[in-house]
Amino acid sequence: AFGIYTAKISTSVAGKFIESRMGKPSLIRETTKTNFVQLLKSPIRSFKQSFGSKDAEQALKNIVLERNLESRLRRIAVSTANTKNNRAPYRHMLLHGPPGTGKTMFAKGLARESGLHYAIMTGGDVAPLGKDAVTEIHKLFDWANASSTSKGVMIFVDEADAFLRKRSTEQISEDMRNALNAFLYRTG
């Protein structure tokens, strides 16, 4: 009985450890963090992502912007690359604007050219989870912390306004309020 109980618990612990290191959380729509299967499917692409040359100036590649906005975003790209190189703490950033203006494309380019992995989650995926949203948000940040030992992970929340709302004035469900609190707790 002791052996069966020990095997059951150790298998559970090992499974959770492997899932936190390799498994992608359900809130993540897209990520550059490769697991073993993806590495076997496309080894050349994985090698280029890991060891290709990085140039923060290329974060704005294929994005057409106003001259003033382009210079501001270029400074953000250079400072993010310098932050990674100097191992300084990162800052939070909010990109806002109408749909189709290149916010997600810039975030992908910024992460790629700064030498970071990126993970994209959508705010609209949080509400359908209901009570499980808090658990999934914690899994997301635990996965990012476990994954960030080598390169670092930039989490991009697309359509964040779907669940990031004012707690005091808007009518939101208790589950959404708890998810919002968990997200704010994990992001500081």
Side-chain angles (χ1 to χ4, degrees):
F2 180 73
I4 292 172
Y5 182 74
T6 303
K8 180 180 176 183
I9 296 297
S10 61
T11 305
S12 174
V13 169
K16 287 179 183 178
F17 178 76
I18 290 170
E19 181 183 337
S20 72
R21 295 286 180 174
M22 296 179 68
K24 184 174 77 168
S26 65
L27 282 177
I28 299 295
R29 291 245 173 153
E30 178 182 342
T31 183
T32 55
K33 184 79 174 134
T34 56
N35 60 21
F36 186 69
V37 175
Q38 292 168 331
L39 184 65
L40 291 178
K41 281 184 180 178
S42 57
I44 295 171
R45 192 178 122 231
S46 299
F47 181 80
K48 284 181 181 179
Q49 282 180 347
S50 298
F51 301 108
S53 64
K54 307 291 184 224
D55 182 14
E57 297 288 328
Q58 293 296 316
L60 297 173
K61 184 179 173 186
N62 300 327
I63 302 176
V64 179
L65 299 166
E66 295 175 1
R67 186 171 304 280
N68 183 27
L69 181 59
E70 182 177 354
S71 68
R72 290 175 62 192
L73 291 178
R74 194 168 305 282
R75 284 195 315 256
I76 289 171
V78 170
S79 71
T80 302
N82 289 337
T83 299
K84 182 179 187 320
N85 293 338
N86 296 323
R87 293 188 171 111
Y90 292 100
R91 295 172 44 174
H92 298 287
M93 181 175 27
L94 173 68
L95 303 173
H96 64 90
T101 55
K103 298 177 294 291
T104 305
M105 187 185 300
F106 171 71
K108 287 179 186 180
L110 176 64
R112 194 173 32 254
E113 301 306 326
S114 298
L116 300 168
H117 288 295
Y118 69 81
I120 298 175
M121 72 172 270
T122 303
D125 290 344
V126 176
L129 292 172
K131 294 180 185 207
D132 296 332
V134 174
T135 305
E136 292 300 320
I137 287 173
H138 286 301
K139 279 184 187 178
L140 166 68
F141 283 98
D142 290 342
W143 171 81
N145 286 335
S147 301
S148 68
T149 56
S150 61
K151 282 182 81 170
V153 178
M154 177 186 290
I155 299 175
F156 183 72
V157 183
D158 202 10
E159 300 172 9
D161 56 339
F163 85 100
L164 298 177
R165 304 196 175 168
K166 289 184 179 179
R167 293 176 284 182
S168 59
T169 58
E170 292 195 27
Q171 290 284 28
I172 59 175
S173 69
E174 190 65 32
D175 296 334
M176 286 297 289
R177 183 180 311 276
N178 292 338
L180 175 58
N181 288 336
F183 185 81
L184 293 174
Y185 172 76
R186 294 305 289 254
T187 60

